[in-house]
């Protein structure tokens, strides 16, 4: 969940949900991470942001050396960021937060790569 407060004190909360097609296995524990075989995790270091902040979104994947796209939507698609996963399946994406994103901003990520099944 993310909580954003704009300059006028309006609060908005958002959460991330997603669907992944394919194998539904147990967490594979790549380099100590607890990420299921068909799951991307989006992690935020903060629970509250202000307009003008840059959210550093960490993407964790069950595979390394892949490529993905993180999208930002607020009633429509407003931004997209291509990212490269490191060998251990991690990427960090900087997302500038605009005041007009409140209320209703959401983040979604998809990635492609390969891992042992």
């Amino acid at each position: 969940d993310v909580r954003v407060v704009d300059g006028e004190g309006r609060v908005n909360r958002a959460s991330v949900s997603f669907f992944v097609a394919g194998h539904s296995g147990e967490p594979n524990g790549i380099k100590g991470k607890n990420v299921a075989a068909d799951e991307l995790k989006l992690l935020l270091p903060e629970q509250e942001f202000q307009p003008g902040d840059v959210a550093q979104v960490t993407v964790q994947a069950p595979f390394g050396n892949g490529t993905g796209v993180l999208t930002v939507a607020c009633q429509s698609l407003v931004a997209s960021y291509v990212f490269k996963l490191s060998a251990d399946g991690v990427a960090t994406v900087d997302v500038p937060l605009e005041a007009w994103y409140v209320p209703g901003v959401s983040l979604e990520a998809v990635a492609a790569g390969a891992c042992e099944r």
Side-chain angles (χ1 to χ4, degrees), residues 2-115:
V2 176
R3 182 174 179 262
V4 178
V5 180
D6 71 5
E8 296 178 13
R10 295 177 292 193
V11 177
N12 186 45
R13 291 184 184 269
S15 61
V16 177
S17 61
F18 53 89
F19 174 80
V20 179
H23 173 75
S24 183
E26 294 296 316
N28 67 2
I30 187 169
K31 295 233 181 203
K33 291 178 183 54
N34 189 19
V35 180
D38 290 336
E39 179 179 89
L40 290 178
K41 286 188 178 181
L42 300 180
L43 307 172
L44 294 165
E46 313 251 349
Q47 291 298 316
E48 187 172 314
F49 295 94
Q50 298 296 321
D53 287 349
V54 176
Q56 290 187 325
V57 180
T58 300
V59 181
Q60 289 183 344
F63 50 83
N65 299 319
T67 302
V69 176
L70 177 76
T71 58
V72 180
C74 185
Q75 298 179 348
S76 66
L77 180 65
V78 296
S80 62
Y81 303 91
V82 175
F83 59 86
K84 300 280 187 193
L85 293 164
S86 65
D88 61 349
V90 176
T92 301
V93 182
D94 290 339
V95 178
L97 300 174
E98 304 292 339
W100 58 271
Y101 286 2
V102 176
V105 68
S106 65
L107 304 176
E108 184 176 330
V110 295
C115 65

